[in-house]
């Protein structure tokens, strides 16, 4: 099962790259459309096109990625606590936070430097501190502060997970469900005062927004004797649910989008996404003896996942900006852009990490890529 | 090369990425930040591939992966 977690991590980082490539595709499709569409054409008319659904498909199949990362990290907490300790040692927590924090700070400063040099952005001390604290320098960096919060509260979570894991799992699932359901007020266009503020009052960088997935990883790690047979038993159902969740999730989002009456909705985890993530984790962990597709490749990506996470968006975003300036006509061809961005989002970080690993500076590797 | 030496070389080479790093047999690999979640998974894969020992999921715990000594003891017992 442990190797399956490495595989799951590899799938998850591939999902992250797919998700951000699709996100960049939407930027090209809607925000940058004036670079390739006649001024008389409304960019939003592209909603419902084949390209639009292609991008939505990528977002949908990638929606398990953050839950999977958090599940694996929670599982590590159980391993690092051991059989005999009441809870995880603060020394282990501090070491883990340090190895996450140093590369995060380094890449955040690189992102800021690029934004200052290439885009003329200015930072004040105040917004610099907030950007670092909640990972706002780039919209994807929120995940590191989120993960660090989980590590910091993990000694408490372990106590609950050890004491009464069923209740703990139930409570965290209920919290997660409420947080997922709140934005439905906006999606369903309900007549509730301050609904926007209520719907999004738990930001995605705050641990409560994803509490279930990390907690589930801890619980499964502590209670393998219960969950291994369960995953095995549910593996085939998991395949069916995971496959069915892809079109269902797309359908759900389109329905919610249209019911909301909004011109655009930022992607958030939905009920079907949650079901999909649960099913996919069950499938990967449930087929313990079977050979999974591209095992070696995904395990390799899983091993390098933190470094890929911290750097992939730079290649996707800056290549997009170059295309915007140099060859804007290409922005109209998602069929070309998506394979290109997915390839460079995975291959260039891996190549960069391999180069550093072969250089005299490799002893600094953990400070750069974790 | 015995198992402990092979594990030490692997951890220095592939996880710490510094073959000249100092790593004592009793060093706490988790508290020192040498092993994180991905590194443990990587180490399990190495043990299974290199020594042909199937690492049982229940055995992947702090007590067995705390140091080179505890790892070597675990592998000796798991043979």
């Amino acid at each position: 099962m442990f190797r399956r977690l490495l595989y799951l991590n590899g799938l998850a980082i591939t999902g992250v790259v797919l998700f951000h490539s699709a996100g960049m595709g939407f930027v090209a499709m809607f925000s940058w459309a004036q670079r390739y569409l006649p001024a008389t054409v409304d960019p939003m008319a592209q909603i419902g096109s084949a390209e639009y659904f292609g991008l939505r498909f990528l977002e949908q199949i990638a929606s398990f990625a953050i839950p999977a990362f958090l599940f694996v990290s929670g599982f590590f907490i159980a391993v690092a606590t051991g059989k005999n300790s009441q809870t995880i040692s603060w020394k282990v927590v501090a070491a883990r936070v340090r190895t996450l924090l140093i590369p995060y700070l380094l890449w955040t400063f690189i992102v800021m430097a690029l934004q200052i040099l290439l885009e003329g952005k200015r930072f004040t001390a105040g917004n610099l501190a907030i950007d670092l604290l909640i990972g706002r320098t780039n919209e994807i960096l929120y995940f590191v502060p989120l993960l660090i919060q989980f590590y910091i509260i993990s000694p408490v979570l372990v106590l609950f997970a050890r004491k009464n894991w069923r209740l703990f799992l139930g409570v965290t699932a209920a919290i997660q469900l409420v947080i997922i359901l709140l934005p439905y007020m906006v999606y369903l266009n309900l007549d509730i005062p301050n609904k926007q503020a209520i719907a999004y009052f738990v930001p995605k960088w705050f641990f409560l927004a994803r509490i279930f997935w990390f907690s589930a990883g801890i619980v499964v790690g502590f209670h393998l004797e219960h969950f291994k047979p369960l995953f095995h038993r549910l593996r085939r159902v998991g395949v069916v649910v995971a496959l069915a969740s892809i079109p269902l999730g797309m359908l759900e989002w389109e329905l919610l989008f249209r019911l909301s009456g909004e011109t655009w909705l930022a992607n958030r985890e939905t009920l079907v996404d949650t079901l999909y993530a649960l099913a996919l984790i069950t499938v990967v962990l449930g087929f313990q003896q079977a050979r999974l597709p591209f095992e070696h490749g995904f395990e390799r990506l899983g091993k390098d996942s933190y470094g890929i996470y911290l750097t992939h968006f730079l290649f996707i975003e800056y290549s997009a900006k170059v295309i915007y300036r140099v060859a804007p006509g290409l922005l109209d061809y998602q069929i070309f852009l998506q394979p290109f961005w997915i390839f460079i989002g995975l291959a260039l970080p891996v190549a960069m990490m391999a180069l550093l690993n072969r250089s005299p500076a490799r002893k600094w590797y953990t400070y750069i890529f974790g | 090369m015995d198992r402990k030496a092979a594990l030490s070389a692997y951890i220095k080479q592939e996880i710490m990425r510094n073959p000249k790093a100092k790593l004592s047999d009793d060093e706490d690999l988790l508290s020192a930040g040498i092993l994180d979640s991905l590194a443990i998974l990587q180490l399990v894969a190495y043990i299974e591939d290199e020594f042909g020992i199937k690492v049982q999921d229940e055995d992947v715990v702090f007590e067995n992966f705390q140091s080179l000594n505890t790892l070597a003891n675990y592998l000796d017992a798991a043979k």
Side-chain angles (χ1 to χ4, degrees), chain A residues 47-165:
Chain A
I47 290 175
S49 64
E51 288 84 358
Y52 168 84
F53 282 116
L55 297 181
R56 275 292 304 125
F57 174 75
L58 291 180
E59 277 193 342
Q60 194 59 48
I61 58 171
S63 62
F64 74 97
I66 298 299
F69 276 140
L70 293 174
F71 181 88
V72 173
S73 300
F75 200 105
F76 167 74
I77 293 295
V79 170
T81 302
K83 288 177 181 164
N84 306 324
S85 311
Q86 201 183 10
T87 192
I88 188 167
S89 116
W90 279 107
K91 270 188 179 174
V92 176
V93 171
R96 189 68 195 110
V97 169
R98 197 170 55 241
T99 52
L100 287 170
L101 198 57
I102 296 171
Y104 165 73
L105 290 175
L106 173 76
W107 287 101
T108 299
F109 286 127
I110 290 173
V111 170
M112 284 177 170
L114 287 170
Q115 288 174 347
I116 292 166
L117 291 172
L118 302 176
E119 296 164 37
K121 195 170 173 185
R122 293 282 170 268
F123 292 93
T124 64
N127 69 25
L128 178 75
I130 293 171
D131 285 357
L132 285 174
L133 211 59
I134 65 174
R136 204 175 51 182
T137 327
N138 184 287
E139 69 169 293
I140 75 135
L141 285 174
Y142 81 93
F143 177 70
V144 185
L146 173 72
L147 191 53
I148 288 174
Q149 290 170 65
F150 277 121
Y151 278 110
I152 291 171
I153 62 166
S154 62
V156 180
L157 296 181
V158 165
L159 290 176
F160 288 122
R162 273 233 198 272
K163 214 170 184 176
N164 190 341
W165 67 266

Side-chain angles (χ1 to χ4, degrees), chain A residues 17-18 21 312 315-316 336-350:
Chain A
V17 173
L18 291 182
S21 177
H312 74 281
F315 296 109
I316 293 176
F336 155 76
L337 292 172
Q338 291 306 312
F340 173 67
W341 282 332
I342 292 164
F343 175 74
I344 64 167
L346 285 170
L348 293 186
V350 169

Side-chain angles (χ1 to χ4, degrees), chain B residues 2-77:
Chain B
D2 69 14
R3 277 200 195 127
K4 199 193 288 181
L7 283 167
S8 174
Y10 179 78
I11 291 171
K12 286 182 192 172
Q13 182 75 23
E14 298 299 325
I15 294 173
M16 300 171 80
R17 300 179 195 260
N18 181 5
K20 291 177 189 161
K22 285 185 181 151
L23 181 62
S24 73
D25 291 353
D26 283 322
E27 176 131 27
D28 188 330
L29 299 170
L30 286 112
S31 299
I34 295 166
L35 289 188
D36 59 17
S37 50
L38 295 180
I40 287 184
L41 301 178
Q42 202 180 327
L43 195 55
V44 169
Y46 170 76
I47 290 167
E48 291 191 347
D49 294 344
E50 185 67 22
F51 305 133
I53 295 173
K54 175 78 188 142
V55 179
Q56 298 302 320
D57 294 330
E58 296 73 15
D59 294 338
V60 186
V61 286
F62 181 73
E63 289 80 359
N64 291 333
F65 280 69
Q66 188 179 8
S67 67
L68 282 170
N69 277 339
T70 59
L71 252 175
N73 290 341
Y74 160 67
L75 293 179
D76 285 342

Side-chain angles (χ1 to χ4, degrees), chain A residues 196-248:
Chain A
Q196 287 279 354
I198 300 167
Y200 302 114
F201 93 101
V202 181
K204 60 181 180 178
W205 53 263
F206 189 55
F207 74 90
L208 278 180
R210 303 280 190 173
I211 183 102
F212 172 73
W213 300 107
F214 191 82
S215 307
I218 301 177
V219 168
V220 171
F222 277 136
H223 303 282
L224 281 173
E225 74 289 348
H226 183 84
F227 284 96
K228 264 175 76 171
L230 185 70
F231 286 138
H232 187 69
R233 215 164 45 240
L234 294 176
R235 67 196 189 286
R236 289 196 176 88
V237 178
V239 172
V240 174
V241 174
L243 289 175
S245 298
I246 298 170
L248 272 179

